[in-house]
Amino acid sequence: MSATPTPADAVVYLPSEDFVKNAHVSGMAAYQALCQEAETDYQAYWGRLAKELITWKTPFTQVLDDSQAPFFKWFADGTLNASYNCLDRNIERGLGDKTALIFEADGGEVTKTSYRDLLAKTCQIANGLKSIGIGKGDRVIIYISMSIDGVAAMQACARIGAIHSVVFGGFSAQSVRDRVQDTGAKAIITADQQVRGGKHLPLKAIVDEALTLGGCESVQHVLVVKRTGAELPMTAGRDLWMSDVIANQPTVCEPEWVEAEHPLFLLYTSGSTGKPKGVQHSTGGYLLHAALTTKWTFDLKADDVFWCTADIGWVTGHSYITYGPLSLGGTEIVFEGVPTYPDAGRFWKMIQDHKVSIFYTAPTAIRSLIKAAEANAAVHPKSYDLSSLRLLGSVGEPINPAAWEWYYREVGGNRCPIVDTFWQTETGGHMITPLPGVTPMVPGSCTLPFPGIQAAIVDETGKDVPNGQGGILVVKKPWPSMIRTIWGDPDRFVKSYYPADFQGKYYLAGDGAIRDEKTGYFTITGRIDDVLNVSGHRMGTMEIESALVSCTELVAEAAVVGRPDDTTGEAICAFVVLKRSRPEGDEAKAIAKQLRDHVAKEIGPIAKPKDIRFGENLPKTRSGKIMRRLLRSLAKGEAITQDTSTLENPAILTQLDQTY
Ligand code: WT7
């Protein structure tokens, strides 16, 4: 490790002395000692932490097995149970009556659940799942909105060794179908409806539709949780009310002790090709990093009230709602709804009401709440008592310095460190992040690697690039919570993450990054593949293109690129060639709407293109390749500097100027 970073030019924010003194990792010397420990004996470092943070049924004797790299195995001969680690052991430690979850519904109703109650509920669901024939290794799709039931359903799967795959409630029937088909799920856990911003939206009805689309023969049962009490058609023999399934089930259920490598969950995420990838995570290594990062990055202590605003449909909700904080016996908020309902003060009011001490959200949310607060003082953070806060976090996309500073000042009262956590669905937990009692913060930089994570920036050949020069972000050594494979597609796993360019040695994150010349601080410069980040949601451009061209009656060809957007970070811009002549005016508007609805139906509303532009053709090279760089310039409204001499029909550039 080099000398202590002393960022010279950028504005630097320091954690207070008090924060440093009381933090789990306290001071730069402590951070460097951990990095040094990992450097000196990598396996001993992770082995020590795995023993300290996880309770094993059978202790492991080997830390890392790299004999089949890049299919790494961690703690392979150890056995454990994730739900035992998150629930039972906290009760054994005397936390049975401690509040585990504070659920606040869309309408503001609050339900609190103790560790004892959460274990009882988890066991009942686990027994219920067993009663319908679900066991170790079976896949269960969870398509539910934010709720105690959702967290308990994940824990219940973990308890019996079933592999959960949570599908975000905003995804379409088609997306649910694709995930059911790919996982071969035996059961789906859902709710009658979900509630967002005062609206009741379907869940079970979408599952019904998904199951009619074909390819879902593996599904034997659909378990339905009552959320709104809506009238629903129930298919006899297949659909069961969760309340009936668990009614007479015992509140105890012996955990299924699984090998550390047993898959805990699959989570689908977008890649650069059309089909989302089922990222497979392990039980032991994943749980270790979820727990460790919750402890070190969020500095979680016994009295904290931790609020991660993410949905359990994303990895952030897995690691920092369902597994990390619970494994440490924390108290956390589970929130249903949207940040802007009943008004844009919802976050601040909830922080005030529940005395939240650690708050973790996405830059998109912050940016939209800044706008709202500037327009209406009543929803400005200063209209609330936010003095309970001691730490803030950001995740999902780069946070622009202006938003960072507002967050620091207006939400954190110039008192709370901000951890800008860089990580991915594939990494299971934080990779590059400040530690709040350690790292001088520079707005817009995720700063330094988490101790033990060998992040680096290299060129196309895998050679290290000097600080100050941008390059490709890689991780040079495996780490416990890394993706194990892509479900059902090990070749794609190797090609996507351990490409031959780096002799299969380095994990390729898919992001570009640059390190500060003086401090070595990392700044993420954005994806280097065809993946967009819209409001912190990852979307593949090809996935959206396939959705557009699947509208076969209308679309001949489509190309999708991202462009910067003040609120959502990136916005989706689609260039479309229709099978009919190029529309204009009201007609173009109507077709654009039709296409957006079609994409919402194929993928989900989050994938709707913000801009749609129609051309008689797309700009292509002589060899017929779409000139995406040119499209990106057009989307941004930039002057065209690229060579357009090869364009068959330069007039289409003017056509593609018009946005609908
Ligand atoms: C991609 C991963 C991490 C959980 C939620 C998103 C971008 C994520 C940051 C950050 C800059 C970030 C990257 C990454 N990203 N966090 N702090 N600063 N960029 O997980 O859907 O797998 O997306 O999100 O581009 O590759 P995901």
Side-chain angles (χ1 to χ4, degrees), residues 618-621 627 630 643-653:
L618 296 174
K620 288 181 188 148
T621 61
M627 298 171 78
L630 183 66
D643 176 15
T644 53
S645 57
T646 57
L647 276 182
E648 250 173 77
N649 174 8
I652 60 166
L653 292 186

PDB file of all heavy atoms in Angstrom, residues 618-621 627 630 643-653:
ATOM      1  N   LEU A 618     -30.947   3.878 -40.824  1.00  0.00           N
ATOM      2  CA  LEU A 618     -30.022   4.240 -39.755  1.00  0.00           C
ATOM      3  C   LEU A 618     -28.665   4.512 -40.397  1.00  0.00           C
ATOM      4  O   LEU A 618     -28.342   3.928 -41.432  1.00  0.00           O
ATOM      5  CB  LEU A 618     -29.907   3.090 -38.758  1.00  0.00           C
ATOM      6  CG  LEU A 618     -31.202   2.739 -38.006  1.00  0.00           C
ATOM      7  CD1 LEU A 618     -30.992   1.494 -37.146  1.00  0.00           C
ATOM      8  CD2 LEU A 618     -31.662   3.901 -37.125  1.00  0.00           C
ATOM      9  N   PRO A 619     -27.879   5.384 -39.788  1.00  0.00           N
ATOM     10  CA  PRO A 619     -26.550   5.633 -40.359  1.00  0.00           C
ATOM     11  C   PRO A 619     -25.670   4.394 -40.221  1.00  0.00           C
ATOM     12  O   PRO A 619     -25.521   3.858 -39.127  1.00  0.00           O
ATOM     13  CB  PRO A 619     -26.008   6.794 -39.513  1.00  0.00           C
ATOM     14  CG  PRO A 619     -26.805   6.793 -38.259  1.00  0.00           C
ATOM     15  CD  PRO A 619     -28.129   6.186 -38.580  1.00  0.00           C
ATOM     16  N   LYS A 620     -25.130   3.951 -41.360  1.00  0.00           N
ATOM     17  CA  LYS A 620     -24.329   2.722 -41.329  1.00  0.00           C
ATOM     18  C   LYS A 620     -23.010   2.915 -42.060  1.00  0.00           C
ATOM     19  O   LYS A 620     -22.899   3.736 -42.962  1.00  0.00           O
ATOM     20  CB  LYS A 620     -25.101   1.588 -42.002  1.00  0.00           C
ATOM     21  CG  LYS A 620     -26.267   1.120 -41.163  1.00  0.00           C
ATOM     22  CD  LYS A 620     -27.023  -0.020 -41.806  1.00  0.00           C
ATOM     23  CE  LYS A 620     -28.276  -0.270 -40.991  1.00  0.00           C
ATOM     24  NZ  LYS A 620     -29.387  -0.736 -41.801  1.00  0.00           N
ATOM     25  N   THR A 621     -22.034   2.114 -41.662  1.00  0.00           N
ATOM     26  CA  THR A 621     -20.760   2.106 -42.379  1.00  0.00           C
ATOM     27  C   THR A 621     -20.968   1.328 -43.678  1.00  0.00           C
ATOM     28  O   THR A 621     -21.985   0.665 -43.856  1.00  0.00           O
ATOM     29  CB  THR A 621     -19.661   1.397 -41.564  1.00  0.00           C
ATOM     30  OG1 THR A 621     -20.083   0.056 -41.350  1.00  0.00           O
ATOM     31  CG2 THR A 621     -19.436   2.080 -40.239  1.00  0.00           C
ATOM     32  N   MET A 627     -23.615   3.034 -37.114  1.00  0.00           N
ATOM     33  CA  MET A 627     -22.618   3.938 -36.527  1.00  0.00           C
ATOM     34  C   MET A 627     -23.136   4.463 -35.187  1.00  0.00           C
ATOM     35  O   MET A 627     -23.720   5.534 -35.093  1.00  0.00           O
ATOM     36  CB  MET A 627     -22.331   5.097 -37.490  1.00  0.00           C
ATOM     37  CG  MET A 627     -21.731   4.602 -38.807  1.00  0.00           C
ATOM     38  SD  MET A 627     -21.626   5.888 -40.058  1.00  0.00           S
ATOM     39  CE  MET A 627     -20.193   6.809 -39.511  1.00  0.00           C
ATOM     40  N   LEU A 630     -22.049   7.859 -33.799  1.00  0.00           N
ATOM     41  CA  LEU A 630     -22.773   8.951 -34.449  1.00  0.00           C
ATOM     42  C   LEU A 630     -24.168   9.102 -33.814  1.00  0.00           C
ATOM     43  O   LEU A 630     -24.624  10.213 -33.539  1.00  0.00           O
ATOM     44  CB  LEU A 630     -22.886   8.639 -35.942  1.00  0.00           C
ATOM     45  CG  LEU A 630     -23.545   9.671 -36.835  1.00  0.00           C
ATOM     46  CD1 LEU A 630     -22.693  10.937 -36.883  1.00  0.00           C
ATOM     47  CD2 LEU A 630     -23.696   9.128 -38.256  1.00  0.00           C
ATOM     48  N   ASP A 643     -16.688  11.153 -39.325  1.00  0.00           N
ATOM     49  CA  ASP A 643     -16.663  11.105 -40.775  1.00  0.00           C
ATOM     50  C   ASP A 643     -17.973  10.487 -41.265  1.00  0.00           C
ATOM     51  O   ASP A 643     -18.284   9.346 -40.949  1.00  0.00           O
ATOM     52  CB  ASP A 643     -15.462  10.247 -41.203  1.00  0.00           C
ATOM     53  CG  ASP A 643     -15.431  10.071 -42.712  1.00  0.00           C
ATOM     54  OD1 ASP A 643     -16.134  10.831 -43.410  1.00  0.00           O
ATOM     55  OD2 ASP A 643     -14.703   9.170 -43.171  1.00  0.00           O
ATOM     56  N   THR A 644     -18.733  11.269 -42.003  1.00  0.00           N
ATOM     57  CA  THR A 644     -20.027  10.764 -42.470  1.00  0.00           C
ATOM     58  C   THR A 644     -20.000  10.498 -43.975  1.00  0.00           C
ATOM     59  O   THR A 644     -21.042  10.283 -44.596  1.00  0.00           O
ATOM     60  CB  THR A 644     -21.168  11.770 -42.159  1.00  0.00           C
ATOM     61  OG1 THR A 644     -20.785  13.033 -42.687  1.00  0.00           O
ATOM     62  CG2 THR A 644     -21.405  11.898 -40.675  1.00  0.00           C
ATOM     63  N   SER A 645     -18.774  10.492 -44.526  1.00  0.00           N
ATOM     64  CA  SER A 645     -18.685  10.358 -45.984  1.00  0.00           C
ATOM     65  C   SER A 645     -19.157   8.992 -46.476  1.00  0.00           C
ATOM     66  O   SER A 645     -19.510   8.846 -47.639  1.00  0.00           O
ATOM     67  CB  SER A 645     -17.243  10.608 -46.432  1.00  0.00           C
ATOM     68  OG  SER A 645     -16.401   9.695 -45.761  1.00  0.00           O
ATOM     69  N   THR A 646     -19.159   8.011 -45.583  1.00  0.00           N
ATOM     70  CA  THR A 646     -19.561   6.669 -46.020  1.00  0.00           C
ATOM     71  C   THR A 646     -21.069   6.473 -45.948  1.00  0.00           C
ATOM     72  O   THR A 646     -21.579   5.440 -46.347  1.00  0.00           O
ATOM     73  CB  THR A 646     -18.906   5.594 -45.148  1.00  0.00           C
ATOM     74  OG1 THR A 646     -19.261   5.850 -43.794  1.00  0.00           O
ATOM     75  CG2 THR A 646     -17.404   5.590 -45.296  1.00  0.00           C
ATOM     76  N   LEU A 647     -21.754   7.460 -45.414  1.00  0.00           N
ATOM     77  CA  LEU A 647     -23.205   7.313 -45.286  1.00  0.00           C
ATOM     78  C   LEU A 647     -23.868   7.204 -46.649  1.00  0.00           C
ATOM     79  O   LEU A 647     -23.590   7.997 -47.546  1.00  0.00           O
ATOM     80  CB  LEU A 647     -23.791   8.533 -44.569  1.00  0.00           C
ATOM     81  CG  LEU A 647     -23.763   8.520 -43.049  1.00  0.00           C
ATOM     82  CD1 LEU A 647     -24.435   9.777 -42.532  1.00  0.00           C
ATOM     83  CD2 LEU A 647     -24.462   7.286 -42.528  1.00  0.00           C
ATOM     84  N   GLU A 648     -24.720   6.226 -46.749  1.00  0.00           N
ATOM     85  CA  GLU A 648     -25.450   6.048 -47.998  1.00  0.00           C
ATOM     86  C   GLU A 648     -26.336   7.250 -48.287  1.00  0.00           C
ATOM     87  O   GLU A 648     -26.408   7.749 -49.392  1.00  0.00           O
ATOM     88  CB  GLU A 648     -26.364   4.836 -47.842  1.00  0.00           C
ATOM     89  CG  GLU A 648     -25.955   3.635 -48.644  1.00  0.00           C
ATOM     90  CD  GLU A 648     -26.842   2.484 -48.267  1.00  0.00           C
ATOM     91  OE1 GLU A 648     -28.002   2.479 -48.733  1.00  0.00           O
ATOM     92  OE2 GLU A 648     -26.384   1.627 -47.484  1.00  0.00           O
ATOM     93  N   ASN A 649     -27.016   7.682 -47.230  1.00  0.00           N
ATOM     94  CA  ASN A 649     -27.973   8.758 -47.403  1.00  0.00           C
ATOM     95  C   ASN A 649     -27.818   9.777 -46.281  1.00  0.00           C
ATOM     96  O   ASN A 649     -28.457   9.669 -45.239  1.00  0.00           O
ATOM     97  CB  ASN A 649     -29.389   8.150 -47.402  1.00  0.00           C
ATOM     98  CG  ASN A 649     -30.445   9.225 -47.429  1.00  0.00           C
ATOM     99  OD1 ASN A 649     -30.143  10.410 -47.591  1.00  0.00           O
ATOM    100  ND2 ASN A 649     -31.689   8.824 -47.247  1.00  0.00           N
ATOM    101  N   PRO A 650     -26.945  10.780 -46.488  1.00  0.00           N
ATOM    102  CA  PRO A 650     -26.664  11.743 -45.417  1.00  0.00           C
ATOM    103  C   PRO A 650     -27.915  12.487 -44.945  1.00  0.00           C
ATOM    104  O   PRO A 650     -27.943  12.987 -43.827  1.00  0.00           O
ATOM    105  CB  PRO A 650     -25.662  12.708 -46.056  1.00  0.00           C
ATOM    106  CG  PRO A 650     -25.167  12.034 -47.290  1.00  0.00           C
ATOM    107  CD  PRO A 650     -26.220  11.085 -47.728  1.00  0.00           C
ATOM    108  N   ALA A 651     -28.946  12.525 -45.755  1.00  0.00           N
ATOM    109  CA  ALA A 651     -30.160  13.260 -45.377  1.00  0.00           C
ATOM    110  C   ALA A 651     -30.824  12.656 -44.147  1.00  0.00           C
ATOM    111  O   ALA A 651     -31.544  13.343 -43.419  1.00  0.00           O
ATOM    112  CB  ALA A 651     -31.148  13.263 -46.546  1.00  0.00           C
ATOM    113  N   ILE A 652     -30.572  11.386 -43.882  1.00  0.00           N
ATOM    114  CA  ILE A 652     -31.237  10.791 -42.716  1.00  0.00           C
ATOM    115  C   ILE A 652     -30.767  11.431 -41.413  1.00  0.00           C
ATOM    116  O   ILE A 652     -31.480  11.409 -40.422  1.00  0.00           O
ATOM    117  CB  ILE A 652     -31.056   9.256 -42.622  1.00  0.00           C
ATOM    118  CG1 ILE A 652     -29.582   8.888 -42.525  1.00  0.00           C
ATOM    119  CG2 ILE A 652     -31.775   8.535 -43.729  1.00  0.00           C
ATOM    120  CD1 ILE A 652     -29.401   7.455 -42.095  1.00  0.00           C
ATOM    121  N   LEU A 653     -29.579  12.055 -41.437  1.00  0.00           N
ATOM    122  CA  LEU A 653     -29.123  12.715 -40.209  1.00  0.00           C
ATOM    123  C   LEU A 653     -30.086  13.817 -39.805  1.00  0.00           C
ATOM    124  O   LEU A 653     -30.365  14.010 -38.629  1.00  0.00           O
ATOM    125  CB  LEU A 653     -27.715  13.281 -40.396  1.00  0.00           C
ATOM    126  CG  LEU A 653     -26.609  12.238 -40.546  1.00  0.00           C
ATOM    127  CD1 LEU A 653     -25.245  12.898 -40.581  1.00  0.00           C
ATOM    128  CD2 LEU A 653     -26.674  11.230 -39.405  1.00  0.00           C
TER     129      LEU A 653
END
